[in-house]
Amino acid sequence: RLVTNDTFELVCMDADKTAVILDFADVHCFVVENNKVYAYTDKKKYSIKYRIYQLAERLPKSFIKVNQSCIANIKQIERFDASIAGSLIIKFKCGYTDCVSRRQLKDFKERFGI
């Protein structure tokens, strides 16, 4: 069961199929790849059994939906890059990059005061 506070730890699986407990503060983002949800951290990515919409409903306020397949931890964003087309590209401290979708752009800009 997921709880909506920052102290809850999430059970994930690493590449060796070992269960690992993650704190939400350590997660940079949740991403859907090949129909599986992964949590990116500084060192690794971990698979999660929850769907992205289930996480979006229950994550702490420090997380924001970036697009249909990514939820970002705003405390782990390194920088934003604006493209010529008007979209934002997010770079996380772990090195992962993703684009903010047009649907989420307004909420994203409001959240950051852009």
Side-chain angles (χ1 to χ4, degrees), residues 39-82:
Y40 278 80
T41 64
D42 280 334
K43 301 173 186 170
K44 291 184 175 183
K45 72 177 185 179
Y46 299 93
S47 65
I48 300 171
K49 68 176 183 174
Y50 298 103
R51 295 286 183 204
I52 201 87
Y53 72 90
Q54 293 171 322
L55 289 170
E57 294 171 354
R58 297 179 178 105
L59 286 171
K61 293 179 182 180
S62 61
F63 286 84
I64 186 168
K65 191 169 183 178
V66 173
N67 56 44
Q68 204 164 5
S69 63
C70 180
I71 300 174
N73 183 348
I74 60 174
K75 296 175 183 175
Q76 298 293 343
I77 294 175
E78 184 176 300
R79 70 172 192 245
F80 305 112
D81 292 328

Side-chain angles (χ1 to χ4, degrees), residues 18-41:
T18 306
V20 177
I21 297 174
L22 291 179
D23 190 347
F24 281 137
D26 296 333
V27 176
H28 292 235
C29 60
F30 294 98
V31 179
V32 177
E33 294 176 354
N34 299 323
N35 294 324
K36 292 184 180 182
V37 179
Y38 295 95
Y40 278 80
T41 64

